[in-house]
Amino acid sequence: MNEVNVIGGKIDRKELAHKVIAWYLKKEMPRFKTLDIMVKLTNCYEKGAYGYCMELDDNRTFELEIDKNLRLFDFVYTICHEMTHLKQYARSEMKQLDDGRIRWKKKVYPSGYDYDKSPWEKEAFRVETGLAFECFHQVL
């Protein structure tokens, strides 16, 4: 069974994060049952992003960081965006290499590759809004 832990933020945001992640896993990753996901609700916008996704040691243990002060819809679509990266890692479509490069499918991209041109970000941006609307209609 997947394990999701949410720390930081207010109780309503913690509950919402759990609901959105459970919905995403059921919809997009139904066969995955051994994921360990830590979600930190922080002020990460101060670091320059609404959220982050990191693969910790294998393609089953992850840490998401989501800005706890986002507006409701932004909060949901940011979770959907970062969960798309988690899916990319878990399915071994994307791998952060030790030297900072990123392997996306069969191609290796240099460290510092243009964020807006990276295929993993293009995919996450392409699906985040549709997933967030669908989540709102089914969960909230």
Side-chain angles (χ1 to χ4, degrees):
M1 192 67 157
N2 294 321
E3 185 172 334
V4 179
N5 293 299
V6 182
I7 60 172
K10 295 183 179 177
I11 193 92
D12 61 326
R13 286 296 168 113
K14 287 180 186 180
E15 291 172 357
L16 179 57
H18 271 287
K19 286 179 182 178
V20 173
I21 291 168
W23 173 84
Y24 187 99
L25 290 170
K26 183 177 179 182
K27 176 180 175 32
E28 297 291 317
M29 305 174 70
R31 294 183 184 169
F32 286 83
K33 303 294 182 199
T34 59
L35 300 174
D36 185 3
I37 305 168
M38 170 63 73
V39 181
K40 295 181 178 180
L41 303 180
T42 67
N43 292 315
C44 64
Y45 186 70
E46 294 172 357
K47 294 189 257 180
Y50 284 0
Y52 299 96
C53 175
M54 291 153 279
E55 177 186 28
L56 295 183
D57 56 3
D58 55 18
N59 62 345
R60 292 293 180 266
T61 307
F62 303 91
E63 182 178 293
L64 300 182
E65 186 175 353
I66 308 294
D67 192 285
K68 64 184 177 183
N69 298 311
L70 294 172
R71 294 177 302 159
L72 183 63
F73 188 76
D74 294 341
F75 186 77
V76 172
Y77 87 66
T78 299
I79 292 174
C80 290
H81 180 104
E82 299 308 329
M83 286 297 295
T84 299
H85 292 315
L86 186 147
K87 177 180 64 99
Q88 293 165 345
Y89 283 124
R91 290 185 176 166
S92 297
E93 296 172 334
M94 181 169 62
K95 179 74 177 167
Q96 182 82 37
L97 304 176
D98 291 337
D99 60 3
R101 297 178 303 152
I102 295 177
R103 182 187 44 76
W104 171 254
K105 299 189 177 178
K106 294 183 180 184
K107 185 174 179 181
V108 176
Y109 291 82
S111 176
Y113 188 75
D114 188 347
Y115 178 84
D116 293 326
K117 292 181 181 178
S118 60
W120 53 91
E121 288 299 340
K122 285 182 178 181
E123 178 185 5
F125 280 117
R126 186 178 70 249
V127 301
E128 69 185 3
T129 303
L131 286 169
F133 276 120
E134 190 176 341
C135 182
F136 261 88
H137 289 297
Q138 293 182 12
V139 175
L140 305 176

